[in-house]
Amino acid sequence: MKRNVAALLDGTFDLLILGGGITGAGVALDAATRGYSVALVERDDFSSGTSSRSSKMVHGGLRYLQNFDLGLVREALLERQLMVRLAPHLVRPLPFLVPAFEGARPDLRLGVGLNMYDVMATRRRRHRRKQEREAAEEGAEYWSPDRHRIIPGEEVRELMPALAPRAPSAAYLFYDCQTDDSRLVLTVLGEAERFGAACLNGARVVELIEEGGRAAGVVCVEQETGERFAVAADNVVNATGVWADRIRPEELHEEEDVPVIRPSRGTHVLIDREKLTLNAAAIVPAGGGRTIFALPWLGQTLIGTTDNDYEDGLDHPQPDPADVRYLLDAVNGFFELELGFDDVAGAYAGVRPLISTGDPKKSVDISRRAELYETSSGMITITGGKLTTWRRMAKSVVDRIAEREFREAPCRTHEIPLGHPVDPSELPLIEGVDERSRRHLASRYGLFAEQVLRMCSERSELAQPILAGMPDLLVEAAVAARYEQARTVADVLLRRTRLGMLAARTLTTDLGPARRVAEAMAPERGWGRRQSKREAETWIAAAEAEGLVVREPVATTT
């Protein structure tokens, strides 16, 4: 960690970014690939905020068509296409179904919307040919989603075994994509570092440095040591998402036409695949004209999401039991199940930075669009937006900086691969690592999985799974500490792997896996046996703070 702090003290950076979520990571990559010297500081852990708590989808947003937000949908669909090409091991196509029952055909109005979705996802022929050629030159396949179609009931049952008892008669089939959001952030940060960016987590900003009334850097406190240090920069970017208006709030409140952040909580639950078996995503009616989704994710079934105004603390938003009940009721009604709170393997909540104009006459004008603004100190703030459009958001920030410096520095992130995919069969064979774990490592790390497996050769015990029945290996904890600035067991279980969400109930009942993670991290972190034990025990407190295990409220009588 001292080495990472020292890198930030080396002169004045062209650009300093506050926030290590997907937006901050994207700005770091964009600026570094244009030749800027870049520093990034994150208060807690990389992606520990909204960027690890999303719905895991890279998509256009079919429901935004209902609001005629065609520009946002078109932009997101084109970014979805690009992400599949740049990071095929991290961003993968996923079939979505909208089933019909009792001999009915799917809703024609939805078919009209899907036709629009198809058209908006299509590039002009000349541009498509260029992308096909570029993909071929990179030895990759060019992916373009098939047009939506109606499939018969038997095909629906194959893709969605959980619906078999309801005997679906047909369904609309269309495609979107999904990802592991936290791994996407870490991959983007890794590429930014490859281009020279200096990134540090666990660094809390306590002061904005000004020179002549202009932002010129920040003072940070390193969370573990309490060390206080300054980072100097010509440009400061606030990419803290839902926390954006907490950086110099007095300055923001003095500005006119600055958007207002309206936090919205989205709750998700995970169910063991055996209890709800899906091979495709389902659009599930949830009453009142609303829908949720149920989709396969990392071997479990993910259900979400709610979208409710949120006014409590932002650091550890917890799933609301009422929201969990709402999700379970919708899924139970659709699949004819009786899932209860005890069937929830894990739950999490994220707070989205939705944007309001601040005009009381337009209080319903809450947008998923990104907002970029510059205040009197020259600090640039970027907030709002969605996971899918992170690259466009980053581009807008660095474009603004280049414009105000009269600098010719075109964006390059549309052509920078995010890691490199690898065929699992080409990875080295390591005793104790089965085929499922090899596929898992290839999908999570791409070509870097070779280095991960080499670490198993250094310490053979690292080839063991963290949790029996899951493909995640102990070596990933050592990799996280050595290469990815993981400082705690929770960093590993919640963000470097996703076991803390996928199997929260198990991991909070049995402390054995957390102890094994701490022991795997210990040589990298310099922990002795006693400290390793303490670090494992902190996992329980972290899980409780996040509300990963949701308990059904006890009914009261009056």
Side-chain angles (χ1 to χ4, degrees):
M1 194 62 72
K2 289 183 178 178
R3 183 178 68 251
N4 295 325
V5 172
L8 297 178
L9 304 179
D10 187 17
T12 299
F13 291 89
D14 294 328
L15 186 65
L16 169 63
I17 301 151
L18 314 182
I22 189 60
T23 306
V27 175
L29 176 61
D30 189 300
T33 56
R34 299 197 205 194
Y36 287 94
S37 60
V38 176
L40 178 147
V41 293
E42 159 60 38
R43 183 189 62 176
D44 295 314
D45 186 26
F46 299 131
S47 81
S48 58
T50 308
S51 294
S52 62
R53 306 163 187 262
S54 76
S55 298
K56 322 306 181 192
M57 292 193 292
V58 176
H59 65 138
L62 184 62
R63 65 192 180 95
Y64 302 148
L65 290 178
Q66 298 172 347
N67 300 327
F68 296 97
D69 203 345
L70 306 185
L72 177 61
V73 175
R74 169 72 171 169
E75 177 184 87
L77 286 171
L78 296 182
E79 288 299 297
R80 178 194 69 174
Q81 185 89 358
L82 184 60
M83 288 303 103
V84 174
R85 184 168 71 85
L86 297 180
H89 59 298
L90 282 174
V91 181
R92 305 179 196 88
L94 178 69
F96 277 71
L97 299 184
V98 186
F101 304 93
E102 299 178 355
R105 290 180 60 82
D107 188 342
L108 290 177
R109 290 172 299 178
L110 177 59
V112 172
L114 288 171
N115 272 324
M116 293 178 63
Y117 211 59
D118 291 339
V119 170
M120 296 171 75
T122 304
R123 291 275 193 181
R124 291 187 178 91
R125 183 174 299 177
R126 184 176 62 181
H127 193 92
R128 174 169 175 159
R129 286 174 179 167
K130 178 184 177 184
Q131 287 201 330
E132 289 174 345
R133 185 170 60 254
E134 290 173 347
E137 290 171 355
E138 296 166 4
E141 293 184 8
Y142 174 82
W143 178 79
S144 180
D146 293 334
R147 292 184 64 85
H148 82 278
R149 60 189 175 93
I150 295 177
I151 61 174
E154 55 268 24
E155 193 173 343
V156 177
R157 291 189 290 274
E158 288 178 10
L159 289 170
M160 206 158 286
L163 267 184
R166 289 196 64 189
S169 51
Y172 278 125
L173 168 66
F174 68 98
Y175 284 87
D176 257 316
C177 294
Q178 70 173 171
T179 191
D180 179 337
D181 49 5
S182 190
R183 293 307 315 184
L184 181 62
V185 174
L186 291 166
T187 301
V188 174
L189 283 170
E191 290 300 316
E193 289 179 330
R194 188 168 68 86
F195 281 91
C199 304
L200 177 67
N201 65 7
R204 179 168 56 92
V205 173
V206 295
E207 181 183 343
L208 184 69
I209 299 171
E210 290 189 47
E211 292 182 3
R214 302 288 287 178
V218 297
V219 176
C220 296
V221 172
E222 208 282 317
Q223 299 278 49
E224 289 186 335
T225 65
E227 178 183 351
R228 196 177 172 97
F229 62 94
V231 185
D234 294 331
N235 300 281
V236 178
V237 174
N238 174 7
T240 56
V242 75
W243 289 270
D245 56 5
R246 309 293 173 92
I247 304 290
R248 295 294 294 270
E250 71 284 354
E251 180 180 316
L252 294 181
H253 294 159
E254 291 172 0
E255 304 288 333
E256 295 181 0
D257 301 322
V258 171
V260 175
I261 297 175
R262 289 280 300 272
S264 171
R265 176 170 56 187
T267 294
H268 303 75
V269 299
L270 288 131
I271 305 292
D272 288 339
R273 175 179 166 81
E274 292 74 17
K275 297 178 180 180
L276 180 54
T277 306
L278 305 177
N279 301 318
I283 306 297
V284 178
R290 298 187 62 190
T291 59
I292 63 170
F293 61 80
L295 54 82
W297 186 64
L298 299 183
Q300 297 284 62
T301 298
L302 176 63
I303 301 166
T305 179
T306 58
D307 190 1
N308 301 318
D309 286 344
Y310 181 73
E311 297 180 352
D312 293 335
L314 299 177
D315 290 350
H316 299 287
Q318 295 192 355
D320 185 340
D323 288 347
V324 173
R325 170 52 61 197
Y326 167 80
L327 296 173
L328 292 176
D329 286 347
V331 167
N332 285 337
F334 187 69
F335 290 100
E336 296 184 346
L337 298 172
E338 296 182 359
L339 297 172
F341 278 69
D342 290 344
D343 296 303
V344 176
Y348 65 93
V351 180
R352 310 178 188 96
L354 304 188
I355 303 300
S356 171
T357 61
D359 184 343
K361 297 179 181 178
K362 299 180 180 180
S363 59
V364 297
D365 185 17
I366 308 298
S367 174
R368 293 298 199 277
R369 288 188 174 277
E371 288 285 348
L372 183 150
Y373 47 94
E374 182 176 344
T375 47
S376 55
S377 68
M379 182 173 66
I380 293 175
T381 295
I382 179 74
T383 190
K386 48 188 284 189
L387 178 69
T388 306
T389 55
W390 67 268
R391 195 193 66 84
R392 293 283 187 104
M393 294 169 66
K395 178 180 182 298
S396 69
V397 171
V398 187
D399 282 350
R400 171 70 68 90
I401 292 170
E403 287 170 6
R404 74 185 191 182
E405 294 181 344
F406 305 101
R407 181 167 175 169
E408 285 290 332
C411 178
R412 296 182 55 205
T413 53
H414 61 283
E415 61 187 17
I416 304 294
L418 301 176
H420 297 277
V422 67
D423 187 331
S425 66
E426 297 177 359
L427 293 175
L429 295 173
I430 300 294
E431 185 177 355
V433 178
D434 62 19
E435 184 61 30
R436 183 186 179 198
S437 289
R438 286 160 59 83
R439 291 196 304 270
H440 155 78
L441 293 176
S443 66
R444 176 167 285 169
Y445 300 98
L447 188 60
F448 187 71
E450 293 181 352
Q451 177 66 30
V452 175
L453 287 168
R454 276 196 289 272
M455 288 183 66
C456 289
S457 300
E458 299 173 14
R459 297 167 57 193
S460 59
E461 72 275 12
L462 297 181
Q464 299 174 12
I466 295 174
L467 180 65
M470 302 294 273
D472 310 74
L473 302 180
L474 284 171
V475 68
E476 298 184 69
V479 166
R482 182 183 296 186
Y483 295 108
E484 298 175 341
Q485 297 188 38
R487 295 171 293 126
T488 68
V489 171
D491 290 347
V492 172
L493 291 178
L494 287 176
R495 289 171 289 276
R496 303 313 185 281
T497 73
R498 312 314 301 274
L499 291 173
M501 295 176 173
L502 296 166
R505 191 174 294 274
T506 299
L507 291 173
T508 53
T509 303
D510 177 9
L511 199 56
R515 290 195 185 101
R516 291 193 289 275
V517 167
E519 289 166 2
M521 297 175 70
E524 309 295 336
R525 298 285 297 155
W527 297 339
R529 182 174 298 179
R530 186 172 297 176
Q531 185 172 359
S532 293
K533 184 175 182 293
R534 287 198 301 267
E535 293 292 337
E537 291 168 351
T538 63
W539 156 246
I540 298 299
E544 289 177 353
E546 298 293 326
L548 300 175
V549 178
V550 182
R551 294 172 177 83
E552 187 167 16
V554 178
T556 58
T557 57
T558 57

